[in-house]
Amino acid sequence: MIDFNIIPLQEDLDEQIKNKINQKTKPLGSLGQLEKIAFQISRIQNTLTPYLNKPNIVLVGSDHNICQEGVNPNPQKITWQQMINFSKQGGGIGLFTQAYNINLTVVDAGVDYDLSAHKNIINAKIKNGSGNFMHEPAMTHEECKQAIENGARIVRDLHTKGCNIIGFGEMGIGNTSPASVLMSIYCNIPLEKCVGPGSGHNEDGVKRKLATLQKAVSNKPDLKEPFDILAHFGGLEIATIVGGMLQAAELKMIILNDGFIITSALLAAQALNPKVLEYVIYSHHSKEGGHALMMEYLNADPVLNLDLRLGEGTGAALAYPIIQGAVKMINDMTSFESAAITDTTETGTSIL
Amino acid sequence: MIDFNIIPLQEDLDEQIKNKINQKTKPLGSLGQLEKIAFQISRIQNTLTPYLNKPNIVLVGSDHNICQEGVNPNPQKITWQQMINFSKQGGGIGLFTQAYNINLTVVDAGVDYDLSAHKNIINAKIKNGSGNFMHEPAMTHEECKQAIENGARIVRDLHTKGCNIIGFGEMGIGNTSPASVLMSIYCNIPLEKCVGPGSGHNEDGVKRKLATLQKAVSNKPDLKEPFDILAHFGGLEIATIVGGMLQAAELKMIILNDGFIITSALLAAQALNPKVLEYVIYSHHSKEGGHALMMEYLNADPVLNLDLRLGEGTGAALAYPIIQGAVKMINDMTSFESAAITDTTETGTSIL
């Protein structure tokens, strides 16, 4: 099941939402991106009084057998070590979700290690590592569909518990490789512009990684459909996140995008159903080179630009307090009328 | 008293601070600007375990008689109306300080209205509005010294109560005019690159404002010393903030810079004592055009870029949760050792 019924945002409250923001005690447009975020969230929820409830970051991990081709300088065992660390609220994402009161859900989609003893890790494992796409598809069609369905189910469960804003994170040594290939194909951008250092390549390492991925792509069968591309060159965590994103949009949840890997999942999701994009807030510009081109392709204007390249959903977590500020603004900031301030809306220009 | 004894940051813990950040469970440098902020704050406090205590935004208001020349399209009464609004935690800054648990201190340095009935507004009024610098100095030397001392005293009081991180905000219809002139003189940048729309000029309005300010500058006496420039072309709130910044640096407090007006105060402060800059974190890029050139002049890399141009210290407030995240990172994020993760520091490059 990869069809999701995503409804375009309704426009009937647009004028009222704009008017409410423009009547706040400030020069028109002077809260910049916060006004745009408040406007978008109000449209997603089709209300003049939007709210955020039970924010959640779903971090999905998997290994990648493309690492057998030497595309990553770090040992694969870091994937499972970090998954255990995250499940105890360690690592960057464990830290920032605690700092900003965000719930963290850790999901094993394909880690090459038995994590079943760790009860805080949701078992959604399809197999031990995505296939080495130099020689075989990363996933069979069945496996990819199952991953999408797993992601969707996890998001449905969170939504049932009240969550209405969700970010995604990932852990998987080597996963900048599938992300680079997905980007190249979905955006029709040459692979050399999509490949970067990932978690720590030097310049020579990046060259070898590019050569390997170019060879893998030249081996590819004729892939026409967005789904086929995802199954062949994706990763188990990426496909799981694609399902989570599409399900979140169907449920009218706010989706917080993250860095390079998560955006590769979003590229796949929007290739399957472009309406998902209406529900997305872009949390940050990643330092990983290809991310800037992804943002350009998606016509996105991310909230933060902190030179992050850690992944794990850390950009989404760090942007969350700003999103909270935007929602608080439309709900609680004084208006010209409530504060008895002379209305100055004639001397400026609305940005909405 | 305009001499402050600001001590350069100590470097003896530098290697230990870098090492602590680099041993966190992440690729080297992958937390980008957060690593730099954590490093700077650790140096300011000369410790491996920095902390933030009683964050405060000091918002200083004043009127400006240069408005008699038509440099601002909005009525001056908005200054006092907003001051009362802020004192009740209204407006943008009242909202964001509440949202992020920051204390807000509202100070009257020269509002042309009797605010003495409002007990939440600190009375540091020098006179009712900065002088119209088309015809007279904004402040006499005595008035400017008194404003600097007032700002310093307010910061000393907050420091005594435990505050170790301070931002500054401002309210003053017309104050982009003194800020533009100060920028032009301190940075030696032509005035036409320093003048923007402020709180709501259209294109014609900006042209008139520029012509007026050019005339005022051409009238100026021979001003050699940084202090003389501040007194002649500054504003009462700007001078008060200059004193606050210099005092904060002397007391080794972290200073959060804000937008166009606050940065004009910082330009004056660094002209008086350049060591103040070592204590400054730049919170955001303002949408007001000249701010980008100010950041370039100061070699600054601000935390946020949200197209804000509201002033009031809102950029500093919105950046505060990110600063908190950086401090939490160096203190509480897991290390390779504590989390039993394979050390990968050999495969990357430190950014510190």
Side-chain angles (χ1 to χ4, degrees):
Chain A
M1 212 323 251
I2 60 167
D3 292 325
F4 293 85
N5 180 27
I6 303 174
I7 296 168
L9 300 191
Q10 289 167 261
E11 296 173 10
D12 46 310
L13 289 182
D14 281 9
E15 286 310 306
Q16 288 179 70
I17 300 167
K18 286 179 196 177
N19 190 47
K20 185 172 181 186
I21 294 171
N22 286 341
Q23 283 297 319
K24 301 295 183 182
T25 52
K26 59 176 180 56
L28 281 177
S30 62
L31 280 174
Q33 211 166 346
L34 269 73
E35 299 188 19
K36 294 179 181 171
I37 292 167
F39 182 66
Q40 184 187 1
I41 291 178
S42 299
R43 293 181 94 203
I44 288 173
Q45 299 184 357
N46 201 34
T47 178
L48 294 171
T49 53
Y51 71 107
L52 305 177
N53 201 43
K54 300 199 177 176
N56 205 300
I57 300 232
V58 176
L59 184 149
V60 189
S62 174
D63 278 303
H64 297 271
N65 291 330
I66 188 72
C67 285
Q68 292 161 0
E69 310 296 324
V71 292
N72 192 295
N74 291 316
Q76 280 190 255
K77 65 183 172 186
I78 290 174
T79 303
W80 67 257
Q81 291 173 344
Q82 280 279 42
M83 290 293 281
I84 294 170
N85 191 24
F86 300 146
S87 76
K88 298 171 181 172
Q89 300 201 286
I93 192 59
L95 183 92
F96 295 124
T97 49
Q98 283 179 77
Y100 305 125
N101 292 310
I102 301 167
N103 191 49
L104 176 61
T105 303
V106 182
V107 178
D108 173 8
V111 178
D112 188 15
Y113 189 83
D114 183 0
L115 292 167
S116 58
H118 299 272
K119 300 303 174 196
N120 286 339
I121 301 178
I122 293 177
N123 183 355
K125 197 190 310 253
I126 307 276
K127 60 182 177 180
N128 285 337
S130 316
N132 177 354
F133 57 74
M134 181 68 86
H135 305 297
E136 59 174 346
M139 296 162 270
T140 66
H141 280 202
E142 280 316 303
E143 288 165 346
C144 187
K145 278 182 190 166
Q146 185 61 54
I148 288 173
E149 175 49 29
N150 287 348
R153 187 185 64 248
I154 290 162
V155 168
R156 281 195 300 276
D157 287 350
L158 291 169
H159 178 262
T160 301
K161 291 171 188 160
C163 168
N164 71 2
I165 177 164
I166 193 161
F168 295 90
E170 45 58 49
M171 178 69 222
I173 291 294
N175 64 7
T176 56
S177 285
S180 297
V181 175
L182 293 179
M183 171 190 174
S184 175
I185 300 177
Y186 286 127
C187 304
N188 195 23
I189 292 174
L191 198 52
E192 58 265 32
K193 294 189 175 176
C194 306
V195 173
S199 58
H201 266 307
N202 57 20
E203 209 174 313
D204 276 354
V206 175
K207 278 186 195 159
R208 286 195 307 274
K209 179 177 170 184
L210 172 61
T212 302
L213 296 179
Q214 279 172 327
K215 188 170 168 207
V217 170
S218 70
N219 287 349
K220 80 168 190 285
D222 190 24
L223 301 171
K224 291 227 171 71
E225 296 300 317
F227 175 81
D228 301 344
I229 297 160
L230 175 64
H232 194 89
F233 287 115
L236 293 157
E237 82 281 48
I238 294 173
T240 304
I241 291 162
V242 168
M245 287 175 164
L246 292 167
Q247 181 64 79
E250 186 180 78
L251 293 168
K252 297 176 167 293
M253 297 163 76
I254 304 154
I255 300 168
L256 289 180
N257 189 55
D258 193 53
F260 190 65
I261 315 297
I262 298 301
T263 309
S264 79
L266 182 62
L267 288 169
Q270 60 88 39
L272 291 164
N273 190 332
K275 290 198 287 288
V276 67
L277 295 178
E278 301 191 34
Y279 293 84
V280 174
I281 294 175
Y282 297 89
S283 66
H284 81 120
H285 286 282
S286 166
K287 182 83 172 169
E288 180 77 6
H291 194 258
L293 290 173
M294 288 172 156
M295 293 298 100
E296 201 175 296
Y297 179 84
L298 293 164
N299 197 22
D301 184 16
V303 176
L304 300 176
N305 190 356
L306 298 170
D307 289 343
L308 308 176
R309 50 178 185 80
L310 175 54
E312 305 175 8
T314 47
L318 282 158
Y320 183 67
I322 308 284
I323 315 291
Q324 285 182 298
V327 171
K328 198 167 165 61
M329 182 269 291
I330 190 170
N331 284 313
D332 298 333
M333 185 169 162
T334 48
S335 69
F336 290 117
E337 191 178 351
S338 75
I341 308 279
T342 306
D343 187 334
T344 59
T345 51
E346 283 186 10
T347 62
T349 309
S350 172
I351 60 168
L352 299 175
Chain B
M1 212 323 254
I2 59 168
D3 292 325
F4 293 85
N5 180 26
I6 303 174
I7 296 167
L9 301 191
Q10 289 166 261
E11 296 173 10
D12 46 309
L13 289 182
D14 281 10
E15 285 311 307
Q16 288 179 71
I17 300 166
K18 287 179 195 176
N19 190 48
K20 185 171 180 186
I21 294 171
N22 286 340
Q23 283 296 319
K24 300 294 181 182
T25 52
K26 59 176 181 55
L28 280 178
S30 61
L31 279 174
Q33 210 166 347
L34 269 72
E35 300 187 21
K36 293 178 181 173
I37 293 167
F39 182 65
Q40 183 187 0
I41 292 178
S42 299
R43 293 181 93 202
I44 288 173
Q45 300 184 355
N46 201 34
T47 178
L48 294 171
T49 53
Y51 72 106
L52 305 177
N53 200 43
K54 301 201 177 174
N56 205 300
I57 299 225
V58 175
L59 184 150
V60 190
S62 175
D63 277 304
H64 298 270
N65 292 330
I66 188 72
C67 285
Q68 292 161 0
E69 310 296 325
V71 294
N72 193 292
N74 291 316
Q76 279 189 256
K77 65 183 173 186
I78 290 174
T79 303
W80 66 258
Q81 291 173 344
Q82 281 279 44
M83 289 293 282
I84 294 170
N85 191 27
F86 300 146
S87 76
K88 299 171 179 171
Q89 299 202 287
I93 192 60
L95 183 92
F96 296 123
T97 48
Q98 282 180 77
Y100 305 125
N101 292 311
I102 300 168
N103 191 50
L104 175 62
T105 303
V106 182
V107 178
D108 173 9
V111 178
D112 187 14
Y113 190 84
D114 182 1
L115 292 166
S116 58
H118 299 272
K119 299 303 175 197
N120 287 337
I121 301 178
I122 293 177
N123 183 354
K125 195 183 323 242
I126 306 277
K127 59 181 175 180
N128 285 337
S130 315
N132 177 354
F133 58 72
M134 181 67 85
H135 305 297
E136 59 174 345
M139 295 162 269
T140 66
H141 280 202
E142 280 315 302
E143 288 166 347
C144 188
K145 278 182 192 167
Q146 185 61 54
I148 289 174
E149 175 49 30
N150 287 348
R153 188 185 63 249
I154 290 162
V155 168
R156 281 196 300 275
D157 287 350
L158 292 170
H159 179 262
T160 301
K161 292 171 187 159
C163 169
N164 71 2
I165 177 165
I166 193 160
F168 295 90
E170 46 58 49
M171 178 69 221
I173 291 295
N175 65 7
T176 56
S177 285
S180 297
V181 176
L182 293 180
M183 172 191 174
S184 175
I185 301 177
Y186 286 127
C187 303
N188 195 22
I189 293 175
L191 199 52
E192 58 265 32
K193 293 190 175 173
C194 306
V195 173
S199 58
H201 265 306
N202 57 21
E203 209 173 313
D204 276 353
V206 175
K207 277 185 196 159
R208 285 195 307 274
K209 179 177 170 184
L210 173 61
T212 302
L213 296 179
Q214 279 171 327
K215 188 171 167 207
V217 170
S218 71
N219 288 347
K220 81 169 191 286
D222 189 24
L223 302 170
K224 291 224 170 72
E225 296 301 317
F227 175 81
D228 302 343
I229 296 161
L230 175 64
H232 194 89
F233 288 116
L236 293 157
E237 82 281 49
I238 294 173
T240 305
I241 291 162
V242 168
M245 287 175 164
L246 291 168
Q247 181 65 79
E250 185 181 77
L251 292 168
K252 297 176 166 293
M253 297 164 76
I254 304 154
I255 300 168
L256 289 180
N257 189 54
D258 192 55
F260 189 65
I261 316 297
I262 299 301
T263 309
S264 79
L266 182 62
L267 288 169
Q270 61 88 39
L272 290 165
N273 190 332
K275 292 198 285 289
V276 67
L277 296 177
E278 301 190 33
Y279 294 83
V280 174
I281 294 176
Y282 296 90
S283 66
H284 82 119
H285 286 282
S286 166
K287 182 81 170 169
E288 179 77 5
H291 195 256
L293 291 174
M294 288 172 156
M295 292 298 99
E296 201 175 294
Y297 179 83
L298 292 164
N299 197 21
D301 184 17
V303 177
L304 299 177
N305 190 356
L306 297 170
D307 289 341
L308 308 176
R309 51 178 184 81
L310 175 54
E312 304 174 8
T314 47
L318 282 157
Y320 183 67
I322 308 285
I323 316 290
Q324 285 183 300
V327 171
K328 200 167 164 63
M329 181 271 289
I330 189 169
N331 283 313
D332 298 333
M333 185 169 163
T334 47
S335 68
F336 291 117
E337 189 177 354
S338 75
I341 309 280
T342 306
D343 186 335
T344 59
T345 49
E346 282 185 12
T347 61
T349 309
S350 173
I351 61 168
L352 300 174

